Amino acid sequence: MNKTRVLAGMRSSGRLHLGNYLGAAKGMIALQNKNNNECFYMVADLHTMTTPFDKKTIRAQSIDVILDYLAAGLDPNKSTIFIQSEVPEHIELSFYFSTVVSLAKMTHLPTFKEKVRENPDFVSIALVNYPVLMAADILIYKAELVPVGIDQEPHLEVARDIAKKMNGTFGTNFPEPKRFTTKGEYIPSLTGEGKMSKSIEGSYILLTDNYEQIKSRLAKVPTDSGRGNKIPESGGVAVLFKAVEIFEGKEKAEEYKKAYLGKGIQYKNLKENLAKAIYSELKPIQEKRKKLEKNTDYVEQILVSGAQKARTEAQKTISEVRSKLGLNPSGVLS
Ligand code: ADP
Ligand code: TRP
């Protein structure tokens, strides 16, 4: 039986938060643990270079993400784990893809506009090319499933368009990849506005936060009097109910909602119980991370063999595409 290919990645911008964990990493782990999947998981350090970056820290930040991946349950015996820039074939494929993509379409994407707003003085060609490189990441392995949060949907749409265009124009056989969804596909910000994100201070809980840090981050979530005749659908209280549902179960969340409509809620107790529940899920991950941090040789070894395995697969696709485009399939004179 042919296995279903899976690919996912996260940029190397530091340690993971609960949004990354629930929206992406948990999906990556769930797919890895099914026998009929073949998974490729990377750190997208080239995507990090599409906005201002620091050459002194970029690789260390990639390793930080790798450590979080491994601690959260990615298993190098089941998945191919690597750093994107160590498989340079992705860049070659993205160039071929860029020949079938219009500039206007890329500059109209909401994700592009958001980045321009954040960094108006650094709108590079690499940034415009962001979704094209992401399509290459996925399609170079002919991956059909991509475990990412809902904010990445516009990029998957681009990947499907590119697959169709390449197949129609050049006769390649790329699949049209779909997003693999989890119940944490959108984790709201602790500020009560927008999504949990690394770039918004006060919005997140890190996978490496201890109990006291979690408690103090939750303490800042804005609340109300604890009673009302309608369950809030946005803002801090909605965030708390969502987090309770994820970490303490649906029943507990229903209990609080009933209390909200009736006798009222003590947020101090709710936040304390929630902090305990979150910490008890994160504690084993943190313990595993501490052991891995001391074992840098082991981590580097995973990355070397991951890149080797990924390159073998990537080179097959590159050779096929070069041939379909009328180029020398081997890329060198032979
Ligand atoms: P950030 O917004 O913190 O910079 P990234 O854009 O690096 O996060 O996202 C990495 C992965 O985590 C992506 O798959 C993204 O969809 C997912 N993700 C990020 N934030 C959230 C969130 N708040 N809820 C669910 N998934 C998220
Ligand atoms: N754009 C993704 C993010 O911000 C990261 C990424 C790069 C990615 N290449 C990918 C995700 C390929 C899934 C598949 O999170």
Side-chain angles (χ1 to χ4, degrees):
M1 192 191 69
N2 267 350
K3 291 193 170 191
T4 302
R5 287 266 177 101
V6 176
L7 178 125
M10 289 189 217
R11 281 173 299 143
S12 46
S13 36
R15 297 183 170 195
L16 303 194
H17 54 70
L18 284 184
N20 304 138
Y21 173 63
L22 300 166
K26 273 207 146 177
M28 291 159 77
I29 296 160
L31 290 171
Q32 157 195 273
N33 293 335
K34 282 192 200 145
N35 282 335
N36 56 337
N37 293 329
E38 189 180 357
C39 301
F40 294 82
Y41 295 136
M42 59 165 204
V43 177
D45 59 343
L46 297 171
H47 281 101
T48 307
M49 300 172 93
T50 63
T51 45
F53 67 97
D54 184 350
K55 70 172 188 183
K56 290 197 221 67
T57 53
I58 188 161
R59 196 160 192 285
Q61 283 184 322
S62 294
I63 300 287
D64 259 338
V65 176
I66 294 284
L67 289 172
D68 277 338
Y69 275 173
L70 295 171
L74 288 197
D75 179 349
N77 295 314
K78 294 181 182 163
S79 300
T80 302
I81 300 170
F82 62 99
I83 294 179
Q84 184 189 31
S85 64
E86 293 166 18
V87 184
E89 287 77 6
H90 291 217
I91 305 171
E92 182 172 348
L93 189 62
S94 85
F95 177 79
Y96 302 142
F97 282 179
S98 72
T99 66
V100 299
V101 178
S102 90
L103 179 61
K105 203 160 184 181
M106 294 303 99
T107 54
H108 282 111
L109 287 174
T111 41
F112 175 75
K113 289 184 180 161
E114 194 188 307
K115 288 273 156 49
V116 174
R117 242 179 280 126
E118 283 168 17
N119 280 300
D121 300 328
F122 198 79
V123 183
S124 63
I125 302 283
L127 183 65
V128 181
N129 203 51
Y130 187 113
V132 182
L133 178 60
M134 182 162 158
D137 297 334
I138 300 166
L139 296 174
I140 205 160
Y141 304 105
K142 309 228 168 123
E144 291 172 61
L145 275 182
V146 184
V148 281
I150 201 163
D151 59 313
Q152 295 299 309
E153 193 56 50
H155 291 153
L156 282 180
E157 192 70 48
V158 172
R160 288 190 285 270
D161 277 354
I162 291 178
K164 274 189 269 188
K165 269 237 175 81
M166 290 295 294
N167 295 347
T169 316
F170 300 111
T172 49
N173 67 344
F174 289 116
E176 289 177 34
K178 285 194 205 68
R179 193 167 66 87
F180 176 76
T181 57
T182 62
K183 66 175 179 177
E185 66 177 11
Y186 181 87
I187 303 300
S189 160
L190 296 184
T191 60
E193 261 176 64
K195 71 159 199 160
M196 185 175 285
S197 172
K198 281 186 273 286
S199 41
I200 306 165
E201 209 33 62
S203 80
Y204 54 78
I205 290 175
L206 294 174
L207 284 195
T208 45
D209 281 345
N210 62 31
Y211 176 62
E212 288 306 322
Q213 284 166 318
I214 298 172
K215 228 169 70 175
S216 93
R217 293 196 202 262
L218 287 179
K220 294 189 191 113
V221 176
T223 51
D224 55 16
S225 66
R227 285 180 82 170
N229 46 25
K230 205 171 157 271
I231 302 294
E233 281 170 13
S234 59
V237 176
V239 176
L240 291 173
F241 286 160
K242 171 123 191 169
V244 167
E245 190 179 321
I246 292 175
F247 289 96
E248 299 180 76
K250 226 180 164 93
E251 265 172 42
K252 190 80 198 166
E254 287 310 316
E255 216 177 277
Y256 282 129
K257 285 181 189 172
K258 226 168 121 189
Y260 189 89
L261 299 173
K263 65 179 180 357
I265 294 181
Q266 294 277 330
Y267 287 116
K268 195 168 175 289
N269 292 344
L270 179 151
K271 287 178 173 183
E272 245 175 66
N273 288 331
L274 180 58
K276 274 186 204 138
I278 294 176
Y279 183 61
S280 79
E281 177 146 354
L282 299 190
K283 194 167 167 243
I285 299 178
Q286 295 175 0
E287 285 167 354
K288 195 162 170 200
R289 196 185 204 279
K290 285 215 181 82
K291 283 194 196 132
L292 288 162
E293 280 165 7
K294 290 194 208 114
N295 213 339
T296 46
D297 285 352
Y298 168 71
V299 175
E300 285 295 340
Q301 203 186 311
I302 291 172
L303 294 176
V304 170
S305 70
Q308 269 165 359
K309 251 182 96 184
R311 289 196 78 181
T312 304
E313 293 313 310
Q315 279 163 1
K316 289 183 195 159
T317 305
I318 287 292
S319 171
E320 258 172 54
V321 174
R322 289 181 63 95
S323 161
K324 295 281 183 192
L325 291 174
L327 304 172
N328 175 353
S330 75
V332 287
L333 289 174
S334 54

